[in-house]
Amino acid sequence: MDRLDPNRLPRHVAIIMDGNGRWAQKRLLNRVAGHEEGAESVRAVIETARRIGIPHLTLYAFSKENWQRPKHEVQALWQLLRRFIRSERPKLLENRIRVRHFGDPEGIPEDVYAEFASLIRETAGFDKLTVNLALNYGGRQEILRAAALFAEDVRAGRCNPSDLTQEAFEKHLFTADTPELDLLIRTSGECRVSNFLLWQLAYAEIYITETLWPDFREPQFIEALLDYQRRERRFGKTSEQLRSSIPPNS
Ligand code: IPE
Ligand code: IPE
Ligand code: MG
């Protein structure tokens, strides 16, 4: 059986956790039951990332577009987040897992956000594993926000438009202190990015599985990581260059 190479683990994995509704539908349950079972998969992937030593995990839990869903489903998702925060808090603290938010606090029910914000504060000093929850998140919105923050720096005289490099811009993204995105996983077979991490996806490896999110647990996560480790990341170079470490342009 294939074994994971501990020296070639991705440093940053992002997951589009999709397929909760279909999982429930297949069992003649309501969609919320699918989200509840999906929360168990969130626990499982956090635990696996911690155990095998992946330092950064970004989980897409609620998009800007998800506000268009039926009101009762949206409400149920925020209540589920609150229950998740309450039940996981002791384990997160014990395992020194840092939790952060990627997205817009504006719009998230205030009482839920208050509990989320206090978990973020309590875990801010931890660095064993960082879990970024993408909530009320959109990739285009993140890029616009970064552009506005840069413009504000220019207006305040802290820099000039000509200082705008990739590095300078990235400082204003939610991923400012996070390594490059190595691997994007999407469950439930959809081949689209749904407004997730648009900037950061530039050179990420993409893994799409038919498995629905509530069925995605440790074995499925390990399979995705093994698939990642079988790939050759060329970053524009040729295979021969990578294998013989010939310097570029020679
Ligand atoms: C993903 O599952 C969870 C969220 C988007 C919150 P879905 O609810 O999108 O499940 P499907 O795509 O309808 O099966
Ligand atoms: C993407 O899933 C958002 C999350 C997983 C939170 P969706 O189910 O909302 O994506 P689309 O709308 O089918 O692309
Ligand atoms: Mg979906």
Side-chain angles (χ1 to χ4, degrees):
M1 198 191 96
D2 274 321
R3 298 286 305 270
L4 278 176
D5 177 350
N7 299 314
R8 291 180 55 241
L9 285 172
R11 289 195 301 160
H12 181 190
V13 177
I15 309 181
I16 303 178
M17 310 185 289
D18 198 12
N20 295 350
R22 276 161 284 171
W23 183 92
Q25 208 169 27
K26 277 195 347 194
R27 289 162 179 76
L28 305 177
L29 299 168
N30 64 38
R31 297 178 55 83
V32 175
H35 297 314
E36 280 168 1
E37 193 60 26
E40 296 300 322
S41 297
V42 176
R43 288 187 185 95
V45 294
I46 292 175
E47 175 54 27
T48 303
R50 185 188 73 84
R51 191 176 64 72
I52 65 181
I54 292 171
H56 297 269
L57 188 62
T58 301
L59 303 174
Y60 202 8
F62 193 93
S63 72
K64 282 277 180 189
E65 290 74 22
N66 288 146
W67 290 107
Q68 300 170 78
R69 292 190 177 197
K71 201 171 160 203
H72 68 87
E73 182 173 344
V74 170
Q75 276 173 350
L77 283 166
W78 295 120
Q79 293 317 312
L80 181 60
L81 173 68
R82 193 220 300 266
R83 287 211 305 282
F84 185 84
I85 293 168
R86 288 184 184 170
S87 66
E88 294 311 290
R89 187 177 159 275
K91 220 181 341 164
L92 293 166
L93 295 175
E94 184 189 315
N95 291 328
R96 306 181 64 78
I97 295 173
R98 181 176 189 187
V99 178
R100 297 195 306 176
H101 178 211
F102 286 3
D104 190 355
E106 189 80 33
I108 298 177
E110 274 175 33
D111 51 339
V112 178
Y113 196 77
E115 292 194 36
F116 186 39
S118 76
L119 181 67
I120 292 170
R121 277 195 302 276
E122 281 180 294
T123 62
F126 298 157
D127 58 4
K128 183 153 169 51
L129 162 64
T130 300
V131 176
N132 306 301
L133 285 185
L135 289 164
N136 196 17
Y137 172 88
R140 287 182 171 171
Q141 287 85 348
E142 179 186 22
I143 292 169
L144 285 180
R145 175 180 172 274
L149 289 168
F150 182 81
E152 184 54 36
D153 280 350
V154 173
R155 199 185 61 85
R158 288 189 286 270
C159 62
N160 296 307
S162 59
D163 296 328
L164 186 56
T165 58
Q166 287 190 29
E167 290 71 26
F169 192 70
E170 282 168 350
K171 288 200 175 77
H172 298 298
L173 295 172
F174 295 120
T175 43
D177 303 315
T178 307
E180 276 287 309
L181 181 59
D182 291 319
L183 173 64
L184 172 76
I185 297 171
R186 182 165 189 153
T187 58
S188 88
E190 307 293 356
C191 299
R192 53 179 175 261
V193 293
S194 302
N195 203 14
F196 192 40
L197 299 177
L198 299 180
W199 173 283
Q200 295 85 347
L201 277 165
Y203 254 106
E205 294 297 322
I206 299 178
Y207 177 88
I208 295 173
T209 172
E210 292 293 326
T211 303
L212 303 174
W213 177 248
D215 293 326
F216 191 91
R217 301 287 161 94
E218 174 157 315
Q220 291 75 21
F221 193 14
I222 302 282
E223 185 46 48
L225 295 169
L226 286 169
D227 190 276
Y228 168 84
Q229 292 195 334
R230 287 193 287 268
R231 298 186 190 187
E232 180 178 67
R233 301 185 74 190
R234 290 192 282 277
F235 297 100
K237 297 180 190 170
T238 69
S239 212
E240 290 69 28
Q241 282 176 307
L242 291 170
R243 283 171 198 179
S244 61
S245 63
I246 303 167
N249 301 325
S250 61

